[in-house]
Amino acid sequence: MKLKNPPVNSLSLEMLTELVINLEKLENDKAVRGLVLTSEYPGIFSAGLDLMEMCGRNPAHYAEYWKALQEFWLKLYQSSLVVVAAINGASPAGGCLMSLICDYRILADNPKYTIGLNETLLGIVAPFWFKDTMVNTIGHRASERALQLGLLFPPAEALQVGLVDQVVPEDKLQSTALSVMAQWLAIPDHARQLTKTMMRKPTVDHLVKQRDADIQNFVSFVSRDSIQKSLQMYLQKLRQKKS
Ligand SMILES: CC/C=C\C/C=C\C/C=C\CC/C=C/CC(=O)SCCNC(=O)CCNC(=O)[C@H](O)C(C)(C)COP(=O)(O)OP(=O)(O)OC[C@H]1O[C@@H](n2cnc3c(N)ncnc32)[C@H](O)[C@@H]1OP(=O)(O)O
């Protein structure tokens, strides 16, 4: 599956909705057992959540957007397919989250391709289920440091901390993803799927139990004037970077 939402594959409401529909189609197709997630645009895997969905909108929109993000996370995290992320570009915040919910992550070796949950740099806070997903991957101490500092790791550091499973030359990314997929598909589906469900259930249950409260939290947090100002300033900085 190639992410395709120019210019930076930000996770807009429309993009999240399409991703969920496509995932459902693949899940229901008996001929499909695995999925490689990559970007149509080498250089950018995904810029994460679409900041335009979180700026200057009304509470009903924020609630709809957050529900769609939760839905996407729940679908992909619980997918019965083998999901391999072939990360061929920068992967901040929601882009990193998307990689973390795959079963295996391969990052192309390019110093510009940084990955991490950098929310604090925007003056916002990674919600508990982003944090849980990261802790499940790299452990508590490394997550605490990475989350507080909003660290974006270049490939060698991402590998060292365990945020990705492999770093490979850019031209070997897709072939490596296919050989990793072959290795995972050699395991009987039912045994692998039950194991995945067992490992992920507590994290899934944590969100499912608090879904509505989490939406309310997001809506009231993002509606604050101070948060709106931080997001606007961050967007301005992104735009100024060009000039
Ligand atoms: C106790 C707790 C209580 C409550 C908590 C409750 C809730 C929590 C609340 C909030 C949590 C919300 C979580 C958010 C997670 C996220 O994902 S936020 C998004 C973070 N993303 C980023 O920081 C990435 C920003 N982008 C970049 O760094 C670069 O754009 C990137 C490296 C991806 C690509 O660089 P480059 O190729 O040079 O492109 P440009 O920078 O020039 O960008 C091109 C245009 O795209 C626009 N853009 C970039 N990123 C985004 C984005 N994420 N959303 C929307 N638009 C984006 C950029 O402005 C350029 O636009 P322009 O052409 O200038 O119009």
Side-chain angles (χ1 to χ4, degrees), residues 187-223:
I187 309 298
D189 276 341
H190 68 283
R192 185 193 52 74
Q193 286 161 354
L194 285 171
T195 305
K196 179 171 177 175
T197 304
M198 174 179 71
M199 295 298 294
R200 297 188 171 197
K201 190 171 183 306
T203 309
V204 168
D205 288 349
H206 194 189
L207 174 59
V208 169
K209 271 193 204 128
Q210 303 198 39
R211 245 188 119 163
D212 291 340
D214 179 60
I215 294 174
Q216 289 317 313
N217 256 343
F218 173 72
V219 172
S220 65
F221 185 78
V222 86
S223 302

Side-chain angles (χ1 to χ4, degrees), residues 6-11 43-54 65-66 69 90-97 112 114 117-119 121-122 124-130 152 214-222 224 227 231 234-242:
V8 289
N9 282 336
S10 60
L11 298 170
I44 294 160
F45 182 70
S46 166
L49 303 197
D50 194 321
L51 295 165
M52 306 313 287
E53 304 281 7
M54 299 192 279
Y65 181 60
W66 205 246
L69 179 67
S91 192
C96 173
L97 179 76
K112 288 187 185 152
T114 57
L117 294 180
N118 61 326
E119 280 78 356
L121 301 184
L122 286 72
I124 55 180
V125 181
F128 71 87
W129 43 289
F130 287 40
L152 287 170
D214 179 60
I215 294 174
Q216 289 317 313
N217 256 343
F218 173 72
V219 172
S220 65
F221 185 78
V222 86
R224 287 185 205 166
I227 300 301
L231 291 174
Y234 187 75
L235 269 168
Q236 232 167 26
K237 255 188 9 201
L238 280 177
R239 287 179 187 134
Q240 278 164 4
K241 195 184 69 178
K242 280 183 182 165

Side-chain angles (χ1 to χ4, degrees), residues 13-231:
L13 180 57
E14 195 184 343
M15 168 93 157
L16 288 169
T17 310
E18 268 186 36
L19 283 168
V20 168
I21 292 171
N22 287 330
L23 275 172
E24 271 168 4
K25 277 189 196 152
L26 293 174
E27 292 278 346
N28 292 332
D29 184 340
K30 295 263 182 303
V32 176
R33 297 174 60 217
L35 160 69
V36 174
L37 191 62
T38 194
S39 165
E40 175 75 10
Y41 316 115
I44 294 160
F45 182 70
S46 166
L49 303 197
D50 194 321
L51 295 165
M52 306 313 287
E53 304 281 7
M54 299 192 279
C55 278
R57 307 292 194 109
N58 61 43
H61 181 83
Y62 296 141
E64 186 186 5
Y65 181 60
W66 205 246
K67 195 171 177 194
L69 179 67
Q70 290 177 335
E71 196 58 38
F72 171 61
W73 183 91
L74 286 166
K75 272 267 151 16
L76 192 57
Y77 201 55
Q78 298 181 94
S79 175
S80 61
L81 307 174
V82 172
V83 188
V84 173
I87 310 165
N88 53 346
S91 192
C96 173
L97 179 76
M98 189 160 39
S99 312
L100 286 173
I101 53 186
C102 297
D103 296 303
Y104 195 89
R105 286 157 287 284
I106 311 162
L107 178 58
D109 195 5
N110 183 321
K112 288 187 185 152
Y113 298 177
T114 57
I115 180 166
L117 294 180
N118 61 326
E119 280 78 356
T120 53
L121 301 184
L122 286 72
I124 55 180
V125 181
F128 71 87
W129 43 289
F130 287 40
K131 177 267 296 171
D132 286 348
T133 318
M134 187 179 230
V135 169
N136 290 349
T137 311
I138 65 170
H140 197 280
R141 171 61 194 142
S143 298
E144 187 176 336
R145 178 170 167 268
L147 285 168
Q148 286 198 47
L149 296 176
L151 295 179
L152 287 170
F153 296 90
E157 289 177 32
L159 182 63
Q160 195 185 18
V161 77
L163 206 50
V164 297
D165 298 295
Q166 239 180 303
V167 171
V168 298
E170 203 148 5
D171 61 344
K172 298 276 186 301
L173 184 65
Q174 299 304 329
S175 58
T176 307
L178 293 181
S179 34
V180 166
M181 180 62 76
Q183 186 195 357
W184 282 64
L185 290 180
I187 309 298
D189 276 341
H190 68 283
R192 185 193 52 74
Q193 286 161 354
L194 285 171
T195 305
K196 179 171 177 175
T197 304
M198 174 179 71
M199 295 298 294
R200 297 188 171 197
K201 190 171 183 306
T203 309
V204 168
D205 288 349
H206 194 189
L207 174 59
V208 169
K209 271 193 204 128
Q210 303 198 39
R211 245 188 119 163
D212 291 340
D214 179 60
I215 294 174
Q216 289 317 313
N217 256 343
F218 173 72
V219 172
S220 65
F221 185 78
V222 86
S223 302
R224 287 185 205 166
D225 285 347
S226 59
I227 300 301
Q228 284 294 312
K229 271 190 198 134
S230 293
L231 291 174

